Amino acid sequence: MSVSVRIPTILRTYTGGESEVSAEGDTLAAVLDDLDAHYSGIKGRILDEAGALRRFVNVYVGNDDVRFLDDLQTPTPDGSQVSVIPAVAGG
């Protein structure tokens, strides 16, 4: 299953400046594995040392936050769009 992945500016150093790349996988976990196989190290910026989504990184499949779905086991149907969005804080 091929999906497109939107890459935030802060992670584009891993994708050679590309803002959107393709990846394969039928779940978010598989997509992140495939993404890391092509862009080494990017998965470590999205997942923490325990393999969970980092606290300040939001990931959407389509318009849905995966934390309210099946987290890393969220299905990624062919043609869907995965968006990686770092949380913004400040004051």
Side-chain angles (χ1 to χ4, degrees):
M1 307 226 174
S2 180
V3 302
S4 62
V5 182
R6 297 176 112 183
I7 306 297
T9 303
I10 196 166
L11 297 181
R12 290 181 190 163
T13 54
Y14 292 93
T15 61
E18 295 294 322
S19 62
E20 189 167 315
V21 297
S22 294
E24 301 284 330
D26 57 355
T27 64
L28 178 58
V31 166
L32 293 177
D33 286 342
D34 188 61
L35 196 63
D36 199 63
H38 292 91
Y39 307 103
S40 182
I42 195 167
K43 183 176 159 183
R45 298 292 306 270
I46 299 170
L47 303 181
D48 64 18
E49 295 75 21
L53 287 174
R54 289 189 178 277
R55 184 173 174 198
F56 297 109
V57 175
N58 298 312
V59 179
Y60 291 79
V61 173
N63 293 322
D64 298 313
D65 186 335
V66 299
R67 286 191 170 97
F68 297 102
L69 299 173
D70 293 324
D71 209 51
L72 293 174
Q73 296 310 310
T74 299
T76 52
D78 192 39
S80 61
Q81 184 165 59
V82 174
S83 301
V84 178
I85 303 172
V88 177

